[in-house]
Amino acid sequence: MIAGQRGAALVAARPGERGAALVVALWIALLAGSLGIGAWTVADARLSAARGRADAARAEAFARAAVEVAAAWFEDAERGGLVAPPRLGEVQRDLRAIDPDGDGAGRRWSAEHAPWDVRYKESAGADDLFRPPDGPAPRDRFVGTADRPDVLLESDGSGSAVLLRIAAVLGAPSGARVERLAFFGPPRGGRPPTAPGGTELATIEAAVSWPTAGGTRTRAAARGEVVRVEWGRLDRPLEIAGDARLLGAARWARGEAFVAGDLHAGAGTWHGWPGGVPWRMVDAPLRDDENGDGLDDDADGDGAPDLESFRSAPGSVPDPWWRARIGGLWHGGPPATGPCAAPLPFGPRATPPAPPDKQADRSGLFIGCPQAVAPAVDPAWEELARLGRRGAGLAEGDPATGGAFRIDGAGSARALGELPDGALWWVIPAAPRGAVLELPAGGRRGAWCVAAGDAAMSLARGAPRPLAAPGDPRDTRGASRSGESPDDHLPLAREAGGWQPGRWKPPAGLPPPERWYPEPAEVAAFEGLVALPGQLDLEGPGLLLGQARAGGLRLDGSAGPAEVRAGPFARDDPRTRPGPPGAPRIVVRGIRVVAAP
């Protein structure tokens, strides 16, 4: 008993010791709690930062998408867009600063001298804000700055409904807003306005706000440049970098054929070509008073002015736009000597002179006119296809299944004829070197752009297409370019079987739309652009409505008439941006996040 009590006394703590142990325990508990609170605080801060970064990323993506939606307002009307463009009453145009060199500095338009003392699209119609012309007049160019843009829409202004529609079509949550949409000049900064693949038209800046879980708003802004896609001289039905061989009833129509190499066409072929209007030299039509003495010319000395005799001759002109420029020789045609010579000159100016003939005047054909030719396929078109822009795609040949292609090199293999119609297709063949790629027609529209090799197309089967002849012929005064509204023009009157030309007239602005000469529908095997660096074989009978652009051409009309005719999408109307049917007219480059205003 005594021993047990002594043992208990030995293990029992003294009163002071019991207090010290309690203090230590409390400190340990407090330290553990502090560590737990600190860990929770760090975790919560990290979670909040993650939410903030996610909200910022969503806002930035929202701003980028808003730039894309607004850029579609520059597209051709046939392609439309997700949101209709604003009308004049829904935008501000009074803030504009004049900054043509794009250095970011400029004065308010109202303080400038003529011709810069105008707002953007000063005399535009209600729906013409983003339509051509794209210059050079100051009222038709974007030259403003980011803080004083040419065109501005704000969420608290008259354009609020347009900005709300943009947010809606992008699927933004309730509370997400496009606060500001500004259009101003591209940042040239000493670089040329023509960027690789096109011409810079404008910069678009979209400023947005995005709701957060905490009730605050995250703001972001993005910018991008609107670039016009350059499709080249689509007013030329033929643009051939090498030789062109025309067989049987083969011909071109409604524009200038450009052949950098030799032309092979025998008498049985060229006698069937349509007659045009008289030409004096390449890119310079014949005028009534060429020597400038105030009197109409009479080169043959018969007492009657030459062009008046032409206009009063019986019949009508089959194709007033028909002409050709051949860089090399003409095999099968009349001889011609000297640079840019006309083997079939205008009758009164021929040796010996001959009466003018409306049905068979082919004085617009010139031989021995070498000129640099652009590549048949533009690398910028491949970029469009690889970017996946609406109306553009890439078809990559599948080596495992000959003749089949995969969109963007993925998915199921299919024939070219199974690809969606009405688009630009950049085609990469997988066939062995030397094989000829068969391009489908059958009434399709769009653009076949073949990256490499040769190709063939049958024109035998097609679909009815509405036609429209080009506007009045234009006199570019020796310049190799498309006609424009400031050029003198040749008024035409439609007659059965052709056209009746008048006298050349000075510029009179744009003709009304009905002057674009609508014509009856006609069956076309393909409408659009066919382009490739190799040889293109077109087998008739049939019509290609548009342009053939290739390294070499064989147009075979042995089985019936085979024709390549410039299409209505190429007409020289500055109110449109030309391009193949369904293909993109603009692209947005360099979309980047910028500081929110």
Side-chain angles (χ1 to χ4, degrees), residues 76-456:
D76 191 74
E78 72 161 17
R79 288 171 48 79
L82 293 174
V83 175
R87 301 173 73 86
L88 284 178
E90 296 175 306
V91 303
Q92 294 184 53
R93 292 180 297 151
D94 290 326
L95 301 176
R96 183 190 207 193
I98 302 300
D99 180 27
D101 58 3
D103 66 357
R107 295 196 306 171
R108 185 182 175 88
W109 64 274
S110 57
E112 288 286 347
H113 300 290
W116 295 99
D117 56 341
V118 292
R119 297 179 300 174
Y120 176 71
K121 296 294 184 185
E122 182 68 63
S123 58
D127 302 309
D128 293 336
L129 272 177
F130 305 99
R131 300 288 179 220
D134 300 320
R139 69 182 182 187
D140 295 325
R141 293 171 54 191
F142 284 94
V143 294
T145 62
D147 57 339
R148 289 183 290 176
D150 302 273
V151 175
L152 179 66
L153 291 89
E154 293 183 299
S155 58
D156 58 355
S158 56
S160 59
V162 178
L163 301 182
L164 286 172
R165 288 196 294 270
I166 293 176
V169 300
L170 292 176
S174 176
R177 295 198 299 260
V178 180
E179 304 283 0
R180 182 178 186 268
L181 201 56
F183 300 79
F184 48 95
R188 296 192 175 97
R191 76 184 186 211
T194 301
T199 301
E200 292 182 334
L201 301 180
T203 297
I204 302 176
E205 180 179 283
V208 304
S209 63
W210 189 270
T212 67
T216 60
R217 306 187 70 79
T218 297
R219 300 185 182 276
R223 287 182 189 174
E225 274 66 61
V226 178
V227 179
R228 184 180 65 211
V229 177
E230 300 299 343
W231 290 102
R233 291 287 304 274
L234 291 176
D235 57 317
R236 290 172 166 169
L238 300 179
E239 193 163 276
I240 309 301
D243 295 349
R245 187 178 300 273
L246 278 64
L247 305 172
R251 68 181 191 174
W252 67 90
R254 297 293 192 265
E256 177 192 42
F258 179 87
V259 178
D262 292 353
L263 173 65
H264 300 261
T269 296
W270 65 264
H271 277 296
W273 292 345
V277 296
W279 288 76
R280 176 176 59 87
M281 58 180 290
V282 66
D283 292 316
L286 189 65
R287 307 289 292 262
D288 286 88
D289 179 18
E290 285 290 346
N291 58 17
D293 63 357
L295 301 174
D296 290 353
D297 297 341
D298 180 14
D300 56 5
D302 66 354
D306 299 331
L307 285 186
E308 186 57 41
S309 297
F310 176 80
R311 289 189 289 266
S312 61
S316 54
V317 177
D319 188 349
W321 306 271
W322 185 94
R323 59 185 178 121
R325 181 200 312 255
I326 312 300
L329 304 175
W330 181 8
H331 303 275
T337 58
C340 283
L344 299 168
F346 178 52
R349 290 176 171 247
T351 304
D357 188 343
K358 280 182 181 173
Q359 287 74 45
D361 187 279
R362 302 184 184 100
S363 59
L365 172 63
F366 295 92
I367 307 297
C369 296
Q371 181 174 315
V373 60
V377 288
D378 190 329
W381 304 342
E382 179 181 8
E383 180 187 356
L384 279 178
R386 292 190 180 277
L387 287 173
R389 299 295 179 187
R390 184 169 58 93
L394 184 142
E396 189 169 348
D398 182 10
T401 55
F405 294 79
R406 299 180 187 273
I407 297 178
D408 296 328
S412 60
R414 64 185 76 186
L416 288 179
E418 297 174 354
L419 297 176
D421 194 17
L424 155 72
W425 286 104
W426 183 269
V427 182
I428 303 177
R433 188 178 182 87
V436 177
L437 176 68
E438 292 290 336
L439 294 174
R444 290 181 64 101
R445 306 170 72 241
W448 289 122
C449 299
V450 183
D454 302 332

